[in-house]
Each structure stands twice: as structure tokens, then as C-alpha cells.
Amino acid sequence: MEIVSQADVRLPVTLRSFIMMQDSHLLRCTGCARAIALMDLKENFRCPECGELYEVEYPAWSDMSGNGQNCAGVTEIAARRALPNVSALRWLWKERRSSTELKDQSGVWRFREMLPILRDEQHIVSLREGNTPLYHMTRTADMTGADRVFAKHQGMNPTGSFKDTGMTTALSVAYERGFSWVACASTGNTSAAMAAYASRAGMRSLVLIPEGKIAWGKLSQALDYGALTVQLKTDFDGCVRVLSEVVRRAPVYLLNSVNPYRLEGQKTPALEIAEQMNWEVPDHLIVPGGNLANGSALGKAFLEMKHLGLTDRVPHISIVQAEGANPLYRAMHDWNGEKLVPVEANTRASAIRIGNPASWKKAVKIVRATGGWVEEASEADIALAKAEIGAEGIGCEPASAVTLVGLKKLMAAGRIEVSHSVVLLLTGHTLKDSDYTIDYHRGTLLREDEAAPQRQEIEFTRRNTIELEADADAVLRVLEKAAGH
Ligand code: F0G
């Protein structure tokens, strides 16, 4: 088994032995706090005692309690002693980027000390995910009045969404444990990522998607990467119900975000953000909310980084949902986060069209632990914000644009101040749902009544195509007009 990579060979011996030691973890229920042996994990990833979800814990150093001591009794001081010095780790993670090895080139596995979930790193299945850009959003900053706005673009991953970071980890676990089939219910992006990673590993994948309710780009990826793709006559929540039964009755490994190993990979954009900001932490991180796992994954990383002394604080993590798929928003505003009433979800941001999110309790916990907020965005808000992000030359899929709506609302409410630094997490690439974009620019996306409150701003951002005869004079005339002559 090869553990030490090219970059690692140049490390001091203490750091190398730390890396080799880091191969153990446990799973702790987020409801009743019971820890289980890895092999006792049920196929639906739920605690048989209380029905809640698990979280990965590293007894040597991790801390999710937020009170400086984890369930295994590891204080911050003890955790820091278990680690090599912080600057050595930062150096190592950076150094690995120039290595020629797959596990170093991956933006997920180069942080492997923070996610020692595999017995043997030979089992890593990677498409060199992660290492995504952090863009400075100068026009968005001018428009919103915030001083420093950044976009962490997870759409720049190999299959075009943030799902790749969690898929490399959970699928590698499935591979290591000898499964031949993996499966997910999906609004599109998870299925695209799973299909790609399964094929890379020589495994088969089963995708359950709601018929007619996912973007074509994503469906085409699942087909292209070779998944057994089933469209069910139901919504995403119905697909989850059916899949729960399938995994109970067949030896198929579930790769939805209830799988705690997905979240270990989805932690790494937080490490990258900190690294890209010279180990400063932004004041705010704004994340779209669907099945509600991602915000808590990023929050876990920020809490762990602080616990280990890599950073000195955590950002306020806020989650934004579409108005038509807002069960968390309602849970926070109507029930103070104590209860979630499922809704019948309906939004054109199909990635987050989810009415009964599996990880809502984890989301409530992380919003509370970091002092963030939960917001909602109307269909017109989302469409306009997406066009504004596009006009910066960045672009994203509709679900990602809710983050900009969140920024505008939190600024208007005085929760984000002008001097604060803000990172918007853009979760998917603009080409995932080009029909949405074209409909917006053609003016056919929104109904009159939906567009009415933002009519002026929408008209200002719309760029329809112009049809002309194949004649240079005709083109020059429109060019002059556009240039204001
Ligand atoms: N943004 C995009 C582009 C997504 O695809 C999703 C979820 C989210 C945000 C929400 O993340 O579920 O962790 O709150 N897509 C899943 C899928 C449900 O099947 O692709 P979350």
C-alpha cells in the first residue's frame, strides 16, 4: 500500500507519521449521539435507534460540538497536539498541487489529512475535482454596495457541479468496500457526478430522477457516462422514497447526501476558500439549500479548521431556498427550527426543487452554530440574480443564483455590513440548464405577474438574439446602434 506521495516524501518525519496514522474514523448519530462501528452502518445511513443521520468523526482531533470539546473528549489543545504544526500542513497542501500524482492533484484528496476515511489510498476514484476558482465579483459588489464579494465556483468541477467533491469520497468508499452497484435519487447533478465517477471505477450506477423535472444537460450527462437511468412519475421526494426501498432489497450502495462520506468531500471547498484568502475566513458564506446537506458540510470544515488552529473563526453560514421549495425557511420562521413541515415543491431552479429535505436538522444546527440566517428567493429574484452573475462573465445554474438574492436581502436587513467579506457558493455551471437561460433572454421564462416587481431590472439584463440577412452592412448597423452611435 502506497501512502506517502511525491510531495510527502520531502516532509519531516513527524508529519509523515501523522499522515500514516490518520486512517481511523467513527460514525456518530447526530440525533442520539451514539457511535457505531463502520460495518454496522445500515444501508439507508440512518440510526436504527432514532432514525437520524450520521456524521464522520475523527477521534484523534475532530470536534463538532462547537464547545471546544468533542464527544470523544478531545479538547482544542489536545487536538492541536495531535496535529503537526499548522504551517507545515498548509505548506503540504499547497505543495501537492505541483505533484503529478492523482491524489495530490485532486482538490479534495490533497486535503486528505482532514478526511482520512479510506483504508487504502489506492482506492481513490478521482477526476481531479476541486481546486475551483474564487472570483472577485466587482460588479456585484458595486451593485449591492458590499465592499468585498467573492464567488466560489463549484460549477468548475469535472461534471460541472459541487457534487464531484462529495462523489469522489463516497464513491471511493463504495469501491473500497467492494460494491458493484451505486445508486442515487437526484434532481440531476448528483446523478451526473455519480454516473461519471462510477464509470471511472468500473462500477455500475442506477439513477432515479423525477420525470420531466430535471435539466437536459444533467440528464444527458447521466446517459453519456453510462448510468442505468430511470425516470419515475413522481417528484424528487418520491424518488427518494422508492430508492430507500430499492437499497433495502438489493446490494446497492446509496450515494445521496444522507451518506456521511459525501459530506467529507464537500468540506473541502471550505478549506480552499480559507487557503485562497490566505487563511483568513470570510465574514459570510451564502449557500443554496435543497436537500440541505451542503451548508452543514462546509460548516463542519470551518469548525474543524478553527478547532485545529488553521483559522481563528468561522463565517456566518446562511442558506437560501427558492420560495416555492422553502421548507427550511418555513421551519425557521414558523417553528423556530424545531419542526419541518414538508411542502409540495415547485420552482424553475430544478436542482433545489425539494419539499422534504433529508438533512434539515443538520442545516438548522450549522446555521445556529455559525450565527447565519435562512432566506428565500422568488422566481423573478432568482432569474434576475442569475443574469447578473452571468453579466460578470461568471455564470451559474439557476439554483446557485439564490445566493446573490440572499446577499441582497441580508444587506437590506442590515445583517451583512458594507465592510464585510462575503463568499457566494455557486454550485453549478451555467451550461447545466441552458434552456432556462435562453427562455429568460427571450422573455418567455417568467409570467407577467412574476416579472412585474422587477420589470425594469429584468429588461435591462435581457439580451435576445437578433436575426439578420447574411450582410455585413446589416451587422454594422446593429453594431453602431449597440455602441451608441
Ligand atoms: N445547487 C445545485 C446546483 C444542486 O444541484 C443542489 C442539489 C443544491 C444546490 C442543493 O444542495 O441538496 O446539499 O442542499 N442537488 C441535488 C441533486 C439534490 O440531486 O443533484 P443541497
Side-chain angles (χ1 to χ4, degrees):
M1 176 171 90
E2 188 230 358
I3 302 177
V4 180
S5 75
Q6 290 165 0
D8 300 355
V9 169
R10 295 190 294 276
L11 294 175
V13 174
T14 46
L15 182 47
R16 244 189 291 159
S17 57
F18 164 74
I19 293 163
M20 296 172 86
M21 179 190 87
Q22 293 293 296
D23 63 352
S24 63
H25 66 278
L26 54 85
L27 295 167
R28 192 174 296 281
C29 173
T30 54
C32 65
R34 204 166 273 128
I36 57 161
L38 308 188
M39 291 309 156
D40 292 339
L41 190 57
K42 294 274 170 261
E43 64 289 335
N44 64 358
F45 295 102
R46 287 192 180 271
C47 173
E49 303 294 329
C50 71
E52 287 305 329
L53 300 172
Y54 288 98
E55 203 157 59
V56 179
E57 192 175 290
Y58 305 103
W61 55 264
S62 76
D63 169 57
M64 286 309 298
S65 63
N67 63 7
Q69 186 165 329
N70 75 359
C71 305
V74 182
T75 61
E76 287 189 12
I77 294 165
R80 282 174 204 182
R81 246 188 255 125
L83 260 190
N85 110 21
V86 159
S87 45
L89 264 184
R90 290 179 185 162
W91 173 84
L92 171 66
W93 292 336
K94 202 164 166 192
E95 184 72 7
R96 281 180 180 153
R97 293 196 67 166
S98 58
S99 155
T100 54
E101 286 190 53
L102 182 70
K103 66 187 176 193
D104 292 339
Q105 290 186 349
S106 160
V108 170
W109 295 104
R110 77 185 169 96
F111 296 108
R112 52 191 173 270
E113 290 72 21
M114 298 293 281
L115 42 129
I117 53 174
L118 291 179
R119 293 236 164 76
D120 181 347
E121 289 170 357
Q122 299 289 341
H123 295 141
I124 288 176
V125 182
S126 168
L127 286 163
R128 294 179 174 76
E129 53 291 314
N131 294 327
T132 56
L134 182 74
Y135 294 120
H136 194 183
M137 306 280 281
T138 47
R139 283 195 226 171
T140 302
D142 285 348
M143 177 183 73
T144 55
D147 271 355
R148 286 170 298 151
V149 182
F150 301 88
K152 176 66 176 167
H153 208 324
Q154 293 301 98
M156 300 302 183
N157 269 295
T159 77
S161 86
F162 74 105
K163 304 289 181 180
D164 294 345
T165 57
M167 204 49 74
T168 183
T169 47
L171 193 127
S172 298
V173 169
Y175 179 65
E176 181 165 86
R177 300 201 182 159
F179 282 88
S180 16
W181 278 89
V182 289
C184 71
S186 180
T187 56
N189 281 324
T190 302
S191 53
M194 181 186 74
Y197 283 81
S199 289
R200 290 298 291 176
M203 294 162 75
R204 303 287 310 277
S205 63
L206 167 69
V207 162
L208 299 189
I209 47 174
E211 189 178 32
K213 291 180 189 135
I214 79 164
W216 288 115
K218 304 174 188 179
L219 175 60
S220 72
Q221 287 180 289
L223 299 176
D224 207 30
Y225 302 141
L228 173 61
T229 306
V230 181
Q231 302 202 63
L232 297 182
K233 295 183 197 321
T234 179
D235 53 12
F236 170 81
D237 303 296
C239 291
V240 170
R241 269 196 307 277
V242 173
L243 188 60
S244 316
E245 193 172 335
V246 171
V247 296
R248 219 172 29 245
R249 291 166 56 180
V252 171
Y253 189 77
L254 180 63
L255 281 176
N256 275 84
S257 55
V258 291
N259 182 324
Y261 298 111
R262 282 262 315 269
L263 306 196
E264 290 307 292
Q266 286 177 214
K267 289 190 321 193
T268 55
L271 286 143
E272 285 184 7
I273 290 170
E275 185 185 57
Q276 286 164 321
M277 299 179 89
N278 287 324
W279 300 98
E280 296 282 320
V281 169
D283 295 297
H284 296 267
L285 175 65
I286 308 181
V287 182
N291 216 14
L292 296 176
N294 200 35
S296 65
L298 296 162
K300 184 174 191 275
F302 278 113
L303 290 171
E304 288 175 349
M305 277 191 277
K306 178 169 178 291
H307 186 64
L308 294 172
L310 282 156
T311 51
D312 59 7
R313 59 183 188 139
V314 295
H316 300 283
I317 298 184
S318 296
I319 299 179
V320 190
Q321 296 197 295
E323 255 176 33
N326 63 354
L328 180 69
Y329 179 83
R330 290 182 191 207
M332 293 303 272
H333 292 261
D334 301 347
W335 303 98
N336 196 26
E338 301 303 319
K339 170 174 152 183
L340 180 135
V341 180
V343 301
E344 194 169 322
N346 196 9
T347 168
R348 294 181 187 87
S350 57
I352 51 173
R353 187 175 180 159
I354 295 174
N356 189 13
S359 298
W360 72 272
K361 285 190 182 165
K362 287 188 180 182
V364 169
K365 206 164 136 190
I366 211 67
V367 167
R368 284 193 177 141
T370 64
W373 293 273
V374 176
E375 276 296 347
E376 61 175 355
S378 73
E379 293 296 295
D381 284 341
I382 298 171
L384 177 61
K386 182 177 133 47
E388 287 163 344
I389 293 167
E392 273 226 34
I394 305 274
C396 63
E397 71 162 284
S400 310
V402 300
T403 55
L404 175 52
V405 181
L407 169 59
K408 292 177 190 174
K409 288 195 165 183
L410 291 173
M411 284 210 65
R415 286 169 172 161
I416 295 182
E417 291 170 23
V418 170
S419 61
H420 286 168
S421 54
V422 184
V423 173
L424 309 181
L425 194 90
L426 302 183
T427 44
H429 197 279
T430 184
L431 291 176
K432 286 277 189 175
D433 193 354
S434 44
D435 283 353
Y436 181 104
T437 312
I438 291 169
D439 289 347
Y440 177 82
H441 289 288
R442 284 197 177 134
T444 57
L445 182 78
L446 299 167
R447 293 190 316 267
E448 276 295 310
D449 58 306
E450 288 175 314
Q454 324 255 33
R455 170 143 322 281
Q456 233 183 338
E457 293 93 328
I458 288 173
E459 287 315 314
F460 185 70
T461 52
R462 274 186 48 213
R463 303 271 178 273
N464 205 352
T465 56
I466 302 164
E467 271 125 58
L468 294 175
E469 294 302 325
D471 171 31
D473 287 338
V475 175
L476 285 166
R477 274 196 296 278
V478 294
L479 183 63
E480 271 171 32
K481 192 167 163 221
H485 291 296

